Amino acid sequence: MYKIKRAIILAAGRGTRLRPYTNMTPKPMLPVNGMPIIEHIILALSQAHIADITIITGYRSRQFHYLKEKYGVELRRNKDFNYGSNLLSLQLALDKIDDCVILDGDVIITPEIIQQDVPGSGYSYVKEKCACEWSIELDGDKITKIVPDLTEKHDFNALHSISYWVGDQAKTLRHMLQNAKDDVNYADDIMIRIPDLYGFEMKHEDFLEIDTVEEYENANKD
């Protein structure tokens, strides 16, 4: 088993689907129940005993600065965030890839969702009745196939952005990210090519992904 020692939070994007809320505020800084989304994530990671946290910012990055003093996190700015690629963000954290969990900055999580010890690298997934997400096929706890398809599907395993990188696969990922060609737009396009990944099941009640205005407004009604 490998111990997850650090976290990378990708929080550089503009969050255009949440306009007008994101006209002046980065999506991870939007408050849910009185606290910015990014702080919910940091606190959950801390409760899961992960203190080495690197946040990749971009859009209106100054709004994140107080987090350094408040939580002791490290901030790195993706000055090319306008290109909308998480590949550019993850390339700024190559030294943090080993024994890490990678998360998006728009998903509120509970500490229970974080795998602190893993048998190998892999992606998280959730069983869906009906959704428009990438899907995965499993043989036991190993991923045999990842299908990047956003059409509506029923009764399937939906791939989610929380992933874990350890051992030789972390080294492979770092090398592939460092040497990515110009025709690769997203880190996920590289990550899903790495073989022998595990699938880590999540429960719906342990996370809340906020992508749209409706999802954001509903989150603040709870």
Side-chain angles (χ1 to χ4, degrees):
M1 298 291 282
Y2 297 87
K3 175 72 70 175
I4 297 300
K5 301 175 182 177
R6 54 190 61 88
I8 301 169
I9 304 175
L10 303 177
R14 284 184 170 273
T16 54
R17 283 187 289 176
L18 263 80
R19 289 175 175 165
Y21 291 107
T22 53
N23 282 347
M24 300 299 292
T25 305
K27 181 162 64 168
M29 294 302 300
L30 291 176
V32 172
N33 296 326
M35 180 185 294
I37 295 170
I38 195 76
E39 290 198 47
H40 284 282
I41 300 172
I42 293 169
L43 290 174
L45 289 168
S46 297
Q47 290 176 50
H49 309 292
I50 297 175
D52 183 347
I53 300 171
T54 302
I55 303 173
I56 311 300
T57 68
Y59 176 59
R60 296 191 175 272
S61 61
R62 290 184 180 276
Q63 294 186 31
F64 294 86
H65 284 188
Y66 76 96
L67 297 171
K68 293 188 292 184
E69 183 174 350
K70 186 172 183 178
Y71 295 108
V73 301
E74 181 179 356
L75 303 179
R76 301 183 183 183
R77 184 174 186 268
N78 175 5
K79 61 181 177 60
D80 296 315
F81 68 89
N82 272 323
Y83 294 107
S85 169
N86 62 2
L87 172 63
L88 299 174
S89 289
L90 204 48
Q91 285 176 329
L92 297 176
L94 294 177
D95 58 315
K96 297 288 187 175
I97 293 291
D98 294 282
D99 303 322
C100 84
V101 55
I102 300 174
L103 314 92
D104 287 338
D106 61 356
V107 183
I108 295 176
I109 59 173
T110 67
E112 290 75 22
I113 209 171
I114 298 297
Q115 303 283 330
Q116 298 179 49
D117 297 283
V118 295
S121 300
Y123 268 100
S124 297
Y125 71 94
V126 65
K127 294 183 182 296
E128 288 283 5
K129 290 294 184 182
C130 179
C132 300
E133 304 282 356
W134 288 19
S135 63
I136 67 169
E137 297 176 10
L138 295 161
D139 181 5
D141 57 1
K142 286 291 192 71
I143 296 175
T144 58
K145 188 176 183 180
I146 297 176
V147 182
D149 175 18
L150 292 175
T151 59
E152 185 177 291
K153 296 175 284 295
H154 300 269
D155 297 315
F156 70 105
N157 296 318
L159 183 75
H160 276 266
S161 60
I162 300 174
S163 62
Y164 301 85
W165 298 95
V166 297
D168 289 340
Q169 289 164 315
K171 294 179 176 61
T172 298
L173 175 60
R174 184 170 57 246
H175 175 77
M176 292 175 71
L177 289 170
Q178 194 168 19
N179 294 281
K181 303 298 184 184
D182 292 339
D183 60 343
V184 177
N185 293 319
Y186 291 95
D188 310 79
D189 298 328
I190 290 173
M191 296 156 83
I192 64 173
R193 297 179 196 168
I194 297 177
D196 205 31
L197 297 176
Y198 285 85
F200 302 105
E201 185 176 359
M202 306 188 302
K203 303 297 183 185
H204 282 94
E205 59 267 24
D206 285 332
F207 72 98
L208 176 63
E209 187 169 10
I210 299 175
D211 280 329
T212 65
V213 167
E214 182 181 10
E215 288 171 345
Y216 177 60
E217 292 177 345
N218 286 339
N220 276 305
K221 290 178 183 177
D222 297 336

